[in-house]
């Protein structure tokens, strides 16, 4: 981490938790973890629990996020949710381009770009996910893949929007597999992403953009990941579903 950027630990609950379970977990997380001044905690429950969780997410330092959205404000898009609906429920962030959306639901860089712009227009900030699959890493294509995902997704955003942007580097081979990138592997890609952000936006903007690492983050590896200079936080799936492990992640030691 870098003291000039506020660390952010985000919980992606994916398709887990009924409303009652979500409320119980978020109450416990806030009771156990307490207010946060020097770090930000973001909770991304399923759509069905956004209103319930948002209604009790009152500790200082905590924000609400959605896991996906459509890029239009309204219209004939059966089953979709628009950014203004999410803003209306109190969301401050939307996760966009998660690898599960890309791999299982055909999300492309172009839809990631449209969604990111729509999230900004609705007054929120996107958490844009990028990352290579195992085959691409083994073929030495990690930087090429991440660069093209960034170019595709960020095209057209202004430097002022970019300052509020959050990027999550999530190597797909590390998501939900228990296999984490080493701190060195993650730092190498985070530094590359920061350089790429400097070339896409005005130089200097990249220093303000938070870049999270995601992929089997757990209590046993959070501290060493957060010790890296370009890792500004974590996007967490599995370990965010249980209060004890998530509390330890929020309370990472720097
Ligand atoms: C994720 O879904 O973004 C993720 C990183 O999951 P996990 O922490 O379970 O690997």
């Amino acid at each position: 981490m870098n003291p000039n950027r506020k660390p952010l630990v985000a919980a992606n609950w994916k398709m887990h938790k009924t409303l009652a379970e979500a409320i119980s977990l978020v109450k416990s997380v806030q009771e156990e973890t307490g207010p946060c001044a020097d770090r930000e905690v973001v909770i991304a429950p399923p759509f069905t629990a956004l209103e319930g969780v948002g209604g009790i997410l009152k500790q200082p330092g905590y924000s609400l996020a959605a896991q996906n959205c459509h890029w239009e404000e309204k219209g004939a898009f059966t089953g979709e949710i628009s950014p203004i609906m999410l803003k209306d429920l109190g969301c401050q962030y939307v996760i966009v381009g998660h690898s599960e959306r890309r791999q299982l639901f055909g999300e492309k860089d172009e839809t990631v770009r449209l969604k990111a712009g729509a999230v900004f227009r609705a007054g929120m900030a996107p958490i844009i996910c990028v990352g290579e699959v195992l085959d691409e890493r083994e073929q030495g294509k990690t930087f090429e893949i991440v660069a093209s995902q960034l170019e595709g997704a960020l095209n057209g955003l202004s430097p002022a929007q970019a300052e509020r942007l959050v990027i999550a580097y999530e190597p797909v081979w590390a998501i939900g597999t228990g296999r984490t990138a080493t701190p060195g592997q993650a730092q190498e890609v985070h530094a590359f992403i920061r350089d790429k952000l400097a070339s896409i936006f005005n130089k200097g903007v990249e220093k303000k953009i938070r870049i999270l690492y995601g992929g089997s983050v757990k209590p046993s590896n959070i501290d060493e990941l957060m010790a890296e200079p370009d890792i500004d936080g974590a996007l967490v799936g599995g370990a965010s579903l249980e209060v004890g492990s998530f509390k330890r992640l929020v309370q990472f030691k720097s």
Side-chain angles (χ1 to χ4, degrees):
M1 61 174 280
N2 176 311
N4 296 321
R5 292 184 291 271
K6 192 181 230 185
L8 189 164
V9 180
N12 174 14
W13 290 355
K14 309 191 184 188
M15 198 172 71
H16 292 286
K17 308 289 177 190
T18 61
L19 177 58
E21 290 166 346
I23 286 177
S24 160
L25 177 56
V26 85
K27 272 187 187 157
S28 312
V29 165
Q30 292 182 102
E31 278 162 21
E32 294 268 330
T33 314
C36 294
D38 63 344
R39 54 200 70 190
E40 187 175 355
V41 180
V42 173
I43 307 285
F47 288 128
T48 47
L50 278 172
E51 187 175 7
V53 167
I56 54 165
L57 198 60
K58 298 296 180 203
Q59 286 274 29
Y62 288 66
S63 312
L64 187 67
Q67 299 173 18
N68 183 31
C69 67
H70 196 269
W71 56 87
E72 294 289 349
E73 286 186 5
K74 58 184 167 186
F77 302 103
T78 302
E80 294 291 330
I81 308 282
S82 89
I84 54 171
M85 296 169 182
L86 299 174
K87 173 73 177 169
D88 188 42
L89 291 183
C91 289
Q92 287 168 263
Y93 296 94
V94 183
I95 299 171
V96 177
H98 190 278
S99 64
E100 286 152 14
R101 302 284 334 155
R102 293 179 190 259
Q103 296 205 306
L104 304 173
F105 302 102
E107 187 114 317
K108 299 274 179 280
D109 291 335
E110 175 58 8
T111 46
V112 175
R113 184 184 74 77
L114 291 169
K115 290 180 181 190
V119 168
F120 275 125
R121 281 195 299 283
M124 303 174 288
I127 299 174
I128 298 182
C129 303
V130 297
E132 79 288 2
V133 300
L134 185 58
D135 205 34
E136 291 162 344
R137 173 157 284 262
E138 286 175 348
Q139 287 178 44
K141 290 187 176 163
T142 298
F143 294 147
E144 186 189 321
I145 294 296
V146 168
S148 92
Q149 288 173 334
L150 289 171
E151 281 159 8
L154 303 180
N155 185 12
L157 294 184
S158 69
Q161 288 173 322
E163 289 185 12
R164 294 167 45 223
L165 181 65
V166 179
I167 301 288
Y169 169 57
E170 299 208 305
V172 180
W173 47 271
I175 296 181
T177 58
R179 189 176 163 186
T180 320
T182 64
Q185 283 174 322
Q187 166 57 29
E188 185 185 35
V189 182
H190 281 232
F192 171 80
I193 291 173
R194 207 173 296 287
D195 279 352
K196 188 79 199 159
L197 293 170
S199 72
I200 294 175
F201 301 109
N202 292 348
K203 193 143 176 54
V205 173
E206 80 286 358
K207 295 196 179 77
K208 300 185 178 158
I209 300 176
R210 290 176 293 180
I211 307 175
L212 315 181
Y213 169 77
S216 299
V217 175
K218 39 192 183 255
S220 58
N221 58 27
I222 183 79
D223 296 341
E224 54 180 11
L225 287 162
M226 290 305 297
E228 296 293 339
D230 287 295
I231 299 184
D232 305 315
L235 178 54
V236 187
S240 72
L241 293 170
E242 194 272 313
V243 65
S245 51
F246 190 60
K247 173 185 176 183
R248 178 63 184 82
L249 300 185
V250 172
Q251 295 179 338
F252 71 84
K253 296 176 180 58
S254 50

